[in-house]
Amino acid sequence: MRRWEVPGDIRFITFSCQRRLPLLGNPAIRDVFAQSLDAARRRHGFSLYAWVVMPEHVHLLVRPRPDHRLDAVLRGLKTSVAKRVVARWRELDAPILRDIMAQDNSVRFWQKGGGFDRNVRDSSEFCREVHYIHRNPVERELVIEPQDWHWSSVRWWMGHKGGEVECDPPPGDPKSWERWKGYL
C-alpha cells in the first residue's frame, strides 16, 4: 500500500510485530522501544504528540518535519529496536527466534509493510486519537487506569514529567494547552 504524505500533516500510525506475536511483551523490550523512540525523535526532529507500546503493536501520533519522509523515520526507529532485541535474543539463544525466522534464515521482528497510518484532519480527530492511544492498555485489560501502563505518553499528558519520552504540546494556540492537561 502506498503512503500518501502531506508535508506538515499529523499522522496516526500503527505498526505490528511479526505475525502479531507479543515480541514487545517483556517490559525491558518495551523500554528499548521507548529509548529508541526518544532517540529517533531527537535525530529526526519530528513532533511526537502521543504514543503507546503494546505487547504486539505500537501506536504513534506524530508530525514529521516537512523535509523528512515518514517511512524513513519509521524504518530507522524499527530497525534500531529490532537490531538491539534480536542481538540479545541471539546471545541467549532464545526460542522466540525460531518463531520469527524466515525460510532464508533471516529474522523479521516487525510485520512486513508500513503498517497502518492516516492523516489526522482536525482537532476533534486529534483528541480521539490521543484518547484511543492512552486507553488502549485499559481496553486490552493490561491495566485498570491508563496511567498504570508505563509505556505510553499518558503520564506526560497528565503533567508528570521526568524519566519518560518527552512529547510535544498539541498543535494550535499555546494558551489552549491548559485545556489538554490531564486529558485521558
Side-chain angles (χ1 to χ4, degrees):
M1 187 166 79
R2 187 171 165 91
R3 179 174 277 125
W4 185 58
E5 288 192 50
V6 176
D9 269 11
I10 297 172
R11 306 297 294 259
F12 173 76
I13 303 160
T14 301
F15 51 91
S16 300
C17 297
Q18 176 68 350
R19 296 193 341 252
R20 297 248 333 147
L21 292 168
L23 303 181
L24 299 163
N26 183 306
I29 295 173
R30 290 192 295 270
D31 287 343
V32 166
F33 184 90
Q35 293 162 6
S36 295
L37 176 62
D38 189 48
R41 182 176 178 270
R42 284 183 273 114
R43 182 173 45 256
H44 295 286
F46 59 86
S47 297
L48 175 64
Y49 300 112
W51 61 278
V52 66
V53 183
M54 300 294 288
E56 71 291 317
H57 70 279
V58 173
H59 295 297
L60 303 174
L61 193 59
V62 301
R63 176 186 281 159
R65 285 184 12 199
D67 59 335
H68 279 67
R69 291 190 47 83
L70 181 60
D71 58 349
V73 171
L74 294 177
R75 188 178 323 110
L77 170 61
K78 290 160 65 172
T79 298
S80 169
V81 172
K83 282 183 177 181
R84 286 180 63 188
V85 173
V86 169
R88 181 66 177 143
W89 285 343
R90 284 190 169 129
E91 286 175 13
L92 299 171
D93 194 24
I96 191 69
L97 288 170
R98 289 186 290 281
D99 295 335
I100 59 174
M101 186 83 62
Q103 288 181 337
D104 65 357
N105 287 332
S106 65
V107 174
R108 180 170 286 284
F109 188 92
W110 300 105
Q111 194 158 305
K112 194 172 184 176
F116 170 82
D117 74 279
R118 63 185 169 73
N119 296 321
V120 175
R121 296 176 300 257
D122 56 36
S123 62
S124 176
E125 188 174 354
F126 181 93
C127 183
R128 279 193 310 274
E129 299 303 1
V130 170
H131 183 75
Y132 176 82
I133 287 169
H134 292 158
R135 297 281 312 164
N136 205 226
V138 174
E139 298 300 320
R140 290 278 307 281
E141 298 181 353
L142 297 171
V143 292
I144 294 173
E145 296 293 331
Q147 61 270 24
D148 296 337
W149 188 251
H150 297 281
W151 302 276
S152 86
S153 54
V154 71
R155 285 177 312 289
W156 183 90
W157 275 80
M158 294 175 72
H160 304 288
K161 308 291 192 283
E164 298 176 12
V165 177
E166 187 74 18
C167 287
D168 293 286
D173 179 11
K175 294 177 185 173
S176 69
W177 172 237
E178 286 304 315
R179 73 179 174 92
W180 287 95
K181 285 188 179 172
Y183 179 77
L184 298 175

